[in-house]
């Protein structure tokens, strides 16, 4: 009788462990993407402290990052969807990138070469934004 109870308790523990470990896989799934790039001045030097804002056109939310000493920015773990990108830096014209779509687990690289100018000027970049995923060899579909 004691062996039967011990076996039942063991099976219950194994079943609970299997259920809990299976649910972790669902928690680990990520439904986000990343935008990264380098912001440079007309001579190709990095711009430190430039503000990069990704505007989610579907939800109306903004995601912001500031460039580091190498001119790099990263906007990580943002929801997939449609975005506009705006780059602002003191003493440079504002650059605006046309709408683009981020898909699941994509890392979009968008670099910007800023032009000298007053803070009130805006340069709108038209055309297709190249969304190359150079950080991974994964292939994704919409």
């Amino acid at each position: 009788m004691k062996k039967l109870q011990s076996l039942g308790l063991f099976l219950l523990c194994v079943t609970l462990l299997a259920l809990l470990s299976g649910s972790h896989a669902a928690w680990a799934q990520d439904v986000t993407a990343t935008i990264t790039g380098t912001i440079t001045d007309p001579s190709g030097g990095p711009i430190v402290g430039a503000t990069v804002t990704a505007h989610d056109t579907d939800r109306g939310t903004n995601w912001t990052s500031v460039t580091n000493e190498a001119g790099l920015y990263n906007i990580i773990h943002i929801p997939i969807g449609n975005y506009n990108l705006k780059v602002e830096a003191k003493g440079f014209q504002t650059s605006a990138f046309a709408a683009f779509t981020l898909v699941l687990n994509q890392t979009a690289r968008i670099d910007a070469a800023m032009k000298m100018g007053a803070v009130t000027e805006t340069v709108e970049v038209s055309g297709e934004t190249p969304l190359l995923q150079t950080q991974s060899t994964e292939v994704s579909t919409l």
Side-chain angles (χ1 to χ4, degrees):
M1 184 70 172
K2 233 179 187 184
K3 284 185 180 184
L4 188 58
Q5 286 177 338
S6 295
L7 181 61
L9 183 60
F10 174 75
L11 289 175
L12 179 65
C13 289
V14 169
T15 303
L16 286 174
L17 184 61
L19 288 174
L20 289 175
S21 65
S23 65
H24 286 300
W27 292 339
Q29 290 179 352
D30 202 7
V31 292
T32 61
T34 299
I35 304 172
T36 188
T38 304
I39 309 302
T40 57
D41 62 20
S43 68
I47 297 177
V48 180
T51 302
V52 181
T53 304
H55 175 71
D56 185 339
T57 59
D58 298 330
R59 297 171 192 88
T61 56
N62 290 325
W63 302 85
T64 305
S65 179
V66 176
T67 56
N68 64 12
E69 62 279 348
L72 297 171
Y73 71 93
N74 286 306
I75 304 174
I76 60 173
H77 300 298
I78 59 176
I80 58 175
N82 299 308
Y83 287 86
N84 292 327
L85 195 73
K86 182 171 67 171
V87 182
E88 299 173 297
K90 187 175 181 181
F92 294 91
Q93 295 176 354
T94 300
S95 291
F97 290 85
F100 56 92
T101 301
L102 290 177
V103 296
L104 183 64
N105 294 326
Q106 178 183 8
T107 299
R109 182 167 186 91
I110 302 175
D111 298 328
M114 303 292 284
K115 295 181 181 178
M116 301 300 287
V119 178
T120 58
E121 293 183 82
T122 300
V123 175
E124 187 165 329
V125 182
S126 61
E128 189 70 28
T129 304
L131 297 176
L132 299 177
Q133 187 163 333
T134 59
Q135 286 78 15
S136 172
T137 58
E138 294 178 16
V139 177
S140 67
T141 59
L142 276 178

